[in-house]
Amino acid sequence: MSEPDGAGLTRSHGRLNARPSAQPRDLMAEPAGDRGWMAQIVTLFPEAFPGTLGLSLTGKALAEGLWSLRTIALREHGLGRHRNVDDTPAGGGAGLVIRPDVLDAALGEAAPHLPVIYMSPRGAPLTQARARALAEGPGVTLVCGRFEGVDERVLQARGIEEISIGDYVLTGGELAAQVLIDATVRLIPRVLGNRDSLAEESFSDGLLEHPQYTKPSDWDGRTVPEVLLSGNHAAIARWRQAEAERLTKERRPDLWRAYQDRHAVGIDPAKDRQLSGASHQSRNHREQDEG
């Protein structure tokens, strides 16, 4: 019925070391102002963390104490000799469902002042705006599902928010939790060295990011757009805005419509035709390349 019991240890990460081998510490005993933004993870696999979160900028920020990570082992709250955390679905069907009493007990170990989110394919899509809102708060407690999911009653009883990272199903919620944490932690002040990059990346203003180029200016017969080498910053800004609009209109019509609605302005018909023509031309090029 249940997977074999693993190490089942609750671990904390942060400030001392960003590697998975960091020694467990009682994070909950530390002063709230000393630990920065906090991520608590309820999971059957505590050893999955910090994973990629311990690398690069998020790993450096973890080691510096700009944010902290604590895992809560769901198995430790399992029932019986084998610490079972799941049971068969009510009404029949394949798979297993995580029990409400087990998950509730695990959440009782979490810091109560943090919002609780269940990583679920049926949840609302994770957006840049949601990540930004979470980054402005004290942290988050994430529930990583397994098997067929979690008993609905504990979700309702605790008012747990459900968030999805995409329209697909993963083996478990650990990877999804890492995605949400990464998207959020990078927005915490001082985590990224260049704050200006946040204003220019995809979704910062509801648009996809414009194309990026670097040296050499001529590579394999393909050249950097001339305007980017002109030194005319106003012209460069106009080109980047136009390219962001073109890509968004071509690839994400939903974002394009929301962008227009949010800015409460109608698109200029001539510009609309220009963007549509560019999109159509781009599709033709792709079809020719694929053919």
Side-chain angles (χ1 to χ4, degrees):
M1 179 180 296
S2 300
E3 300 181 20
D5 193 7
L9 297 178
T10 300
R11 301 185 301 169
S12 300
H13 308 273
R15 289 193 294 130
L16 292 183
N17 204 319
R19 297 175 297 176
S21 58
Q23 291 297 314
R25 296 183 297 117
D26 185 7
L27 183 63
M28 303 303 296
E30 297 177 10
D34 190 39
R35 61 179 176 246
W37 191 88
M38 182 197 293
Q40 297 182 125
I41 318 295
V42 179
T43 173
L44 274 168
F45 300 99
E47 63 273 19
F49 296 88
T52 57
L53 298 171
L55 306 175
S56 189
L57 295 175
T58 54
K60 180 181 178 183
L62 181 63
E64 292 177 350
L66 297 180
W67 71 286
S68 56
L69 174 64
R70 178 185 184 225
T71 54
I72 299 173
L74 185 63
R75 184 73 67 186
E76 287 191 347
H77 301 275
L79 306 175
R81 177 181 176 184
H82 299 291
R83 293 188 178 276
N84 292 335
V85 301
D86 50 50
D87 213 319
T88 55
L96 299 163
V97 178
I98 293 178
R99 295 174 55 114
D101 46 357
V102 172
L103 180 54
D104 186 65
L107 288 171
E109 187 183 327
H113 67 289
L114 302 181
V116 182
I117 293 173
Y118 170 44
M119 306 308 301
S120 164
R122 73 179 192 182
L126 174 62
T127 64
Q128 188 76 357
R130 189 69 186 98
R132 188 178 298 111
L134 288 171
E136 292 172 355
V140 66
T141 296
L142 299 176
V143 176
C144 300
R146 283 274 158 177
F147 319 122
E148 294 302 310
V150 171
D151 189 297
E152 185 72 17
R153 291 169 294 178
V154 69
L155 299 178
Q156 294 178 351
R158 286 186 169 265
I160 296 175
E161 178 184 0
E162 296 184 53
I163 286 184
S164 168
I165 64 167
D167 295 336
Y168 45 84
V169 179
L170 300 174
T171 305
E174 285 75 19
L175 287 174
Q178 291 195 23
V179 168
L180 184 147
I181 293 171
D182 185 273
T184 302
V185 165
R186 64 192 303 277
L187 300 175
I188 297 173
R190 293 171 51 204
V191 171
L192 290 187
N194 183 6
R195 298 295 296 177
D196 291 340
S197 64
L198 291 177
E200 297 178 358
E201 61 191 11
S202 288
F203 311 114
S204 60
D205 190 33
L207 297 174
L208 299 182
E209 188 177 17
H210 56 76
Q212 296 282 7
Y213 297 87
T214 186
K215 297 177 181 178
S217 58
D218 188 323
W219 172 78
D220 198 28
R222 299 170 184 266
T223 60
V224 173
E226 201 170 308
V227 64
L228 298 180
L229 306 177
S230 68
N232 186 331
H233 296 296
I236 291 172
R238 287 193 298 270
W239 180 89
R240 286 176 170 170
Q241 178 69 18
E243 284 296 292
E245 292 178 0
R246 177 184 66 80
L247 287 174
T248 305
K249 184 177 178 66
E250 175 186 343
R251 300 179 182 181
R252 292 292 302 274
D254 57 325
L255 292 180
W256 177 246
R257 288 191 295 270
Y259 175 79
Q260 290 181 272
D261 292 342
R262 187 168 55 255
H263 288 267
V265 291
I267 188 71
D268 179 72
K271 190 174 184 181
D272 191 36
R273 286 194 297 272
Q274 181 182 10
L275 289 170
S276 298
S279 301
H280 181 68
Q281 185 178 25
S282 176
R283 283 194 298 273
N284 287 341
H285 282 311
R286 286 202 307 272
E287 291 169 359
Q288 292 171 5
D289 291 341
E290 293 170 357

